[in-house]
């Protein structure tokens, strides 16, 4: 299954996001997996299959940006789309400067999400 | 035949003697030129004793400063030849109304005083009175010049007032500072020496202090020699004589204009800082609220998008759509929970219910805020209904609401200058077992549009306000099953109403019993 469709992985500590986002992503026609923490994602078996990572920034334990650095360090060049509930717009240029494809502010539209995922897949 | 002539000759002789005596009294320099009062009195008594051959003469001299009077008595050498027990008296006042004292003369002669003696006594008393008056004036002038001499050496703005509060002496430095002399200083209350705007405030304070003899201390703008009004601290201290009577007032003026400006600047900076920190808190708060609300909102949008896509598929995924719609509702509730939590954040968790008298609660708040209200020149009037039923509630929280309403009312009148800043707090019984409290101001009032948003969180019309007060107040009142609302007045200003249900009779009775025990 995963081999035929691009896999989009979601890492977010918020349960409702983990429930809702994968369903929508699947509606877009991608495969989806959800993880509740950066550590759980790093420990999973999908690191190499993931074509796009939807990553929350503020999480207990390892933060989204720390995961970004860790992936760089491990040379896993997974395109990252950050999703955050913060209202602080200065976050976006910062994370994009560090190599993220996009940074979406919650709540975001499905169009914005699809555009961001497509952009991420296009960079691969 | 000789008798009339003889008696006439006697009369002439007596008149001559009288005139001689009068002349010698007039010639007594000590009487009329104002020597020492004691010297005047002894000269007077000596003259009278000798001229009228008196048994005795008494003088009572009143003290000019209201102190105890001094009494002097001289007894004549002769007992009139025989041991007699009958003495005749005559008295004369010193000064027009006897304000300086009195002279009493006694003689062994039964016909004392004959007309000429009466005249002599009166003239002597009159001369002495003139002398005493002059002595007093000289003494005062001497005191004034002595005081001025001392005051001139003081490196400060100093004045001396009479016991009645009239400016009596001003020192050199004060004359220089104001650019006007003593005579102009006397009219400080009318000639612009003190700023006209400050007179209504300090006038009564000054009058009260002088009347009660208590020190005073106030700030007022005083016109400097260059016409510039500068803030001065004016302190007056009564100086009492040995008999505790106020002899004079000493007044010290201190130019505090620069200090006052600095204080104002500091307080402005402080309030700006407070505003900034409130705004900082507010923005931090807003960020955290945004974060909390954005999470469920994001879920709602994502789920709704998924739901639409599932329904639009061919064939539609009804089961999937149902699941995502359910999630949408759950996230909606979650967002609403955030708002509830936010409200609780601002309200004390413990809710101490007790039967309480709203009037008493209001009175305490009034007492608490009376200083603030006075400073803002708010005239507070309270009409608290008698026999008001008890309500059940958290005293502190309801008092917070009342305090908030009073503050808002006072703040709303800060810019009111053309009418009195009237504030009315009123309680009354409402139909349906409820008690109502109204706070009516004469302030800027409410626009119909603002009435709807008044009670929203973060809504404020005040530059320094955070807009939490009414929002929290309404939450508190609603917790008491009550209502809080606002209404524009027919005239200027607005009225805020608080209505809460009465305590049940049993609770009210219990409370009454407790209060009476």
């Amino acid at each position: 299954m995963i081999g035929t469709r691009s896999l989009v992985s979601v890492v977010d500590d918020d349960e409702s996001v983990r429930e809702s986002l994968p369903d929508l992503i699947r509606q877009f026609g991608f495969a989806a997996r959800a993880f509740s923490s950066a550590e759980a994602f790093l420990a999973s078996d999908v690191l190499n299959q993931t074509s796009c990572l939807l990553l929350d920034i503020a999480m207990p334990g390892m933060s989204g940006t720390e995961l970004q650095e860790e992936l760089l360090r491990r040379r896993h060049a997974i395109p990252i789309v950050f999703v955050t509930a913060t209202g602080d717009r200065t976050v976006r240029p910062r994370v994009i400067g560090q190599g993220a494809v996009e940074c979406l502010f919650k709540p975001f539209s499905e169009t914005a999400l699809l555009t961001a995922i497509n952009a991420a897949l296009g960079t691969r | 035949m000789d008798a009339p002539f003889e008696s006439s000759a006697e009369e002439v002789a007596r008149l001559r003697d009288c005139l001689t005596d009068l002349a010698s009294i007039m010639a007594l320099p000590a009487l009329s030129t104002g020597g020492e009062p004691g010297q005047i009195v002894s000269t007077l008594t000596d003259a009278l004793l000798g001229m009228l051959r008196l048994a005795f003469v008494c003088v009572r001299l009143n003290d000019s400063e209201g102190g105890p009077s001094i009494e002097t008595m001289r007894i004549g050498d002769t007992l009139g030849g025989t041991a007699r027990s009958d003495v005749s008296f005559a008295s004369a006042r010193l000064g027009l109304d006897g304000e300086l004292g009195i002279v009493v003369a006694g003689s062994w002669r039964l016909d004392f005083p004959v007309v000429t003696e009466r005249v002599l006594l009166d003239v002597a008393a009159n001369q002495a009175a003139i002398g005493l008056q002059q002595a007093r004036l000289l003494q005062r002038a001497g005191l004034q010049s002595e005081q001025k001499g001392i005051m001139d050496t003081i490196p400060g703005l100093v004045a001396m007032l009479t016991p009645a509060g009239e400016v009596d002496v001003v020192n050199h430095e004060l004359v220089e500072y104001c650019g006007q002399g003593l005579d102009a200083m006397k009219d400080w209350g009318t000639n612009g020496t003190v700023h006209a705007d400050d007179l209504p405030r300090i006038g009564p304070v000054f009058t009260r202090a002088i009347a009660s003899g208590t020190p005073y201390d106030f700030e007022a703008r005083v016109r400097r020699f260059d016409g510039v009004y500068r803030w001065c601290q004016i302190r007056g201290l009564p100086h009492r004589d040995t008999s505790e009577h106020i002899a004079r007032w000493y007044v010290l003026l201190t130019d505090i204009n620069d200090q006052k400006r600095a204080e104002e600047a500091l307080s402005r900076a402080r309030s700006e800082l407070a505003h900034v920190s409130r705004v900082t808190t507010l923005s931090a708060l807003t960020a955290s609220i945004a974060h909390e609300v954005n999470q469920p909102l994001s879920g709602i949008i994502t789920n709704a998008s998924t739901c639409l896509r599932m329904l639009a598929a061919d064939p539609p995924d009804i089961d999937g759509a149902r699941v995502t719609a359910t999630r949408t509702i759950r996230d909606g509730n979650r967002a609403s929970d955030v708002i509830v939590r936010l409200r609780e954040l601002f309200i004390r968790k413990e809710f101490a219910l007790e039967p309480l008298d709203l009037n008493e609660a209001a009175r305490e708040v009034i007492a608490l805020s009376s200083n603030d209200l006075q400073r803002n020149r708010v005239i507070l009037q309270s009409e608290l209904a008698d026999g008001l039923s008890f309500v059940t509630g958290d005293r502190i929280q309801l008092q917070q609401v009342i305090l908030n309403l009073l503050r808002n009312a006072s703040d709303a009148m800060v810019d009111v200058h053309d009418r009195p800043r009237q504030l009315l707090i009123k309680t009354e019984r409402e139909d349906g077992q409820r008690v109502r409290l109204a706070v009516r101001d004469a302030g800027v009032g409410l626009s119909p549009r603002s009435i709807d948003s008044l009670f929203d969180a973060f809504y404020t019309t005040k530059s320094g306000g955070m807009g939490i007060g009414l929002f929290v107040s309404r939450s508190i009142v609603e917790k008491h099953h009550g209502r809080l609302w606002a209404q524009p007045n027919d005239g200027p200003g607005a009225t805020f109403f608080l209505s809460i249900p009465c305590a049940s009779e049993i609770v009210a009775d219990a409370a009454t019993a407790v209060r009476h025990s």
Side-chain angles (χ1 to χ4, degrees):
Chain A
M1 287 282 281
I2 286 170
T4 58
R5 290 186 293 167
S6 301
L7 174 65
V8 178
S9 291
V10 177
V11 178
D12 198 313
D13 63 316
D14 189 83
E15 198 191 348
S16 75
V17 172
R18 290 201 305 277
E19 274 178 2
S20 58
L21 260 191
D23 276 359
L24 184 59
I25 292 163
R26 284 182 202 112
Q27 286 296 316
F28 290 156
F30 307 112
R33 286 280 301 271
F35 302 90
S36 62
S37 69
E39 290 86 349
F41 176 69
L42 284 175
S44 75
D45 54 356
V46 297
L47 247 68
N48 291 318
Q49 289 99 311
T50 298
S51 315
C52 170
L53 180 59
L54 293 185
L55 183 55
D56 187 15
I57 294 179
M59 288 183 292
M62 187 184 276
S63 75
T65 43
E66 281 165 358
L67 175 58
Q68 182 184 27
E69 285 163 21
E70 179 61 21
L71 290 174
L72 277 175
R73 204 179 59 77
R74 297 191 189 183
R75 301 184 193 284
H76 282 292
I78 308 173
I80 296 175
V81 173
F82 279 106
V83 286
T84 178
T86 179
D88 182 5
R89 304 282 139 165
T90 62
V91 170
R92 188 171 183 273
R94 207 166 61 233
V95 293
I96 288 178
Q98 283 163 1
V101 176
E102 185 53 279
C103 178
L104 299 173
F105 293 93
K106 295 176 186 174
F108 45 81
S109 70
E110 60 164 50
T111 319
L113 179 64
L114 186 56
T115 308
I117 293 174
N118 282 332
L121 297 180
T123 60
R124 205 170 153 86
Chain B
M1 290 297 279
D2 285 348
F5 181 73
E6 237 183 51
S7 82
S8 161
E10 227 173 82
E11 187 86 353
V12 169
R14 207 183 298 158
L15 275 173
R16 191 187 298 128
D17 285 351
C18 177
L19 283 173
T20 315
D21 287 345
L22 275 178
S24 47
I25 284 173
M26 302 293 250
L28 284 174
L31 278 194
S32 53
T33 50
E36 282 291 303
Q39 194 193 341
I40 293 173
V41 169
S42 74
T43 311
L44 174 69
T45 50
D46 284 352
L48 287 175
L49 216 57
M51 289 170 184
L52 301 178
R53 285 175 293 281
L54 297 171
F56 65 87
V57 60
C58 291
V59 176
R60 189 174 73 206
L61 200 59
N62 295 335
D63 187 74
S64 63
E65 309 281 346
S69 45
I70 301 161
E71 287 174 2
T72 311
M73 183 171 187
R74 297 288 296 274
I75 299 174
D77 295 332
T78 168
L79 283 175
T82 53
R84 298 193 34 189
S85 56
D86 295 333
V87 177
S88 304
F89 298 98
S91 68
R93 290 180 292 198
L94 291 171
L96 275 180
D97 297 310
E99 72 275 9
L100 298 171
I102 193 168
V103 186
V104 179
S107 169
W108 298 121
R109 279 192 7 253
L110 284 174
D111 61 349
F112 177 83
V114 296
V115 178
T116 49
E117 287 170 325
R118 176 80 247 173
V119 169
L120 265 174
L121 183 62
D122 285 346
V123 169
N126 203 26
Q127 287 297 102
I130 294 170
L132 287 168
Q133 289 282 25
Q134 230 165 334
R136 282 191 179 183
L137 285 175
L138 281 176
Q139 193 188 358
R140 231 171 82 72
L143 179 74
Q144 266 182 328
S145 93
E146 186 191 340
Q147 290 284 345
K148 184 152 167 37
I150 295 169
M151 281 160 59
D152 279 345
T153 64
I154 298 172
L157 312 171
V158 185
M160 199 180 90
L161 313 183
T162 65
E166 301 239 317
V167 178
D168 202 11
V169 184
V170 285
N171 77 343
H172 182 67
E173 196 143 334
L174 185 55
V175 170
E176 293 275 292
Y177 182 85
C178 292
Q180 59 184 26
L182 176 62
D183 288 339
M185 289 298 206
K186 284 182 196 283
D187 300 326
W188 63 270
T190 49
N191 64 5
T193 303
V194 171
H195 199 288
D197 288 355
D198 296 336
L199 287 173
R201 179 170 51 80
I202 66 160
V205 178
F206 177 75
T207 313
R208 258 202 311 279
I210 296 294
S212 62
T214 47
Y216 59 85
D217 183 346
F218 47 72
E219 291 173 7
R221 280 161 290 180
V222 173
R223 191 178 54 204
R224 203 169 55 178
F225 63 92
D226 54 1
V228 175
Y229 282 99
R230 292 180 60 88
W231 281 103
C232 285
Q233 182 187 29
I234 303 172
R235 279 174 291 180
L237 209 64
H239 173 76
R240 292 170 191 276
D241 58 23
T242 45
S243 55
E244 285 301 296
H245 285 85
I246 293 177
R248 49 193 161 271
W249 289 81
Y250 286 111
V251 184
L252 178 67
L253 284 85
T254 315
D255 186 324
I256 52 164
N257 209 63
D258 297 337
Q259 274 154 271
K260 197 145 173 103
R261 289 273 165 276
E263 262 169 40
E264 276 168 11
L266 186 66
S267 121
R268 237 190 341 268
R270 241 189 231 133
S271 96
E272 268 160 29
L273 188 67
H275 180 64
V276 168
S277 74
R278 265 199 294 267
V279 169
T280 313
T281 317
L282 181 56
S283 71
L285 196 62
T286 313
S288 96
I289 292 165
H291 187 266
E292 288 295 300
V293 176
N294 284 340
Q295 290 284 27
L297 278 184
S298 182
I300 289 169
I301 290 173
T302 307
N303 282 312
S305 304
T306 310
C307 182
L308 279 179
R309 282 177 174 269
M310 285 172 168
L311 290 174
D314 188 20
D317 179 2
I318 301 294
D319 288 340
R322 190 174 285 128
V323 171
T324 51
T326 310
R327 284 188 204 147
T328 309
I329 293 168
R330 189 202 56 199
D331 286 342
N333 287 333
R334 223 178 111 195
S336 128
D337 287 347
V338 171
I339 304 294
V340 171
R341 274 212 312 281
L342 175 67
R343 280 191 176 209
E344 281 170 355
L345 191 72
F346 291 107
I347 303 174
R348 213 161 48 115
K349 289 288 189 300
E350 315 86 81
F351 196 58
L353 283 181
E354 53 172 342
L356 63 95
D357 180 355
L358 202 60
N359 281 347
E360 223 177 80
R363 271 189 212 107
E364 280 179 17
V365 175
I366 291 169
L368 254 175
S369 38
S370 66
N371 268 347
D372 280 345
L373 295 175
Q374 259 169 24
R375 203 176 24 249
N376 292 341
R377 274 177 278 152
V378 170
I379 304 156
L380 178 75
Q381 190 193 349
S382 58
E383 287 176 18
L384 306 180
D386 288 333
L388 206 64
S389 302
F390 277 69
V391 299
T392 311
D394 184 305
R395 179 187 205 83
I396 304 288
Q397 290 198 4
L398 284 178
Q399 286 186 324
Q400 260 176 16
V401 174
I402 299 171
L403 183 67
N404 190 248
L405 293 181
L406 286 183
R407 286 221 174 113
N408 282 348
S410 170
D411 288 349
M413 295 193 283
V414 159
D415 293 324
V416 170
H417 299 289
D418 59 337
R419 55 180 183 265
R421 297 180 183 174
Q422 292 272 12
L423 173 51
L424 171 70
I425 178 163
K426 185 177 176 176
T427 56
E428 58 190 335
R429 177 118 197 196
E430 244 186 355
D431 290 341
Q433 294 287 304
R434 295 174 80 86
V435 171
R436 175 192 282 195
L437 179 141
V439 175
R440 180 191 172 99
D441 66 60
V444 287
L446 304 167
S447 69
R449 211 163 53 91
S450 67
I451 280 202
D452 295 331
S453 31
L454 265 183
F455 297 94
D456 293 349
F458 310 121
Y459 177 85
T460 180
T461 56
K462 296 185 260 179
S463 60
M466 186 162 158
I468 285 290
L470 282 175
F471 169 70
V472 173
S473 290
R474 181 176 261 188
S475 306
I476 290 173
V477 172
E478 281 171 358
K479 251 169 121 177
H480 285 81
H481 308 291
R483 286 208 307 136
L484 183 67
W485 73 100
Q487 222 172 266
N489 294 339
D490 284 342
T495 307
F496 282 77
F497 298 95
L498 153 70
S499 158
I500 44 177
C502 296
S504 66
E505 293 301 318
I506 301 156
V507 181
D509 284 350
T512 313
V514 168
R515 287 155 56 78
H516 289 172
S517 65

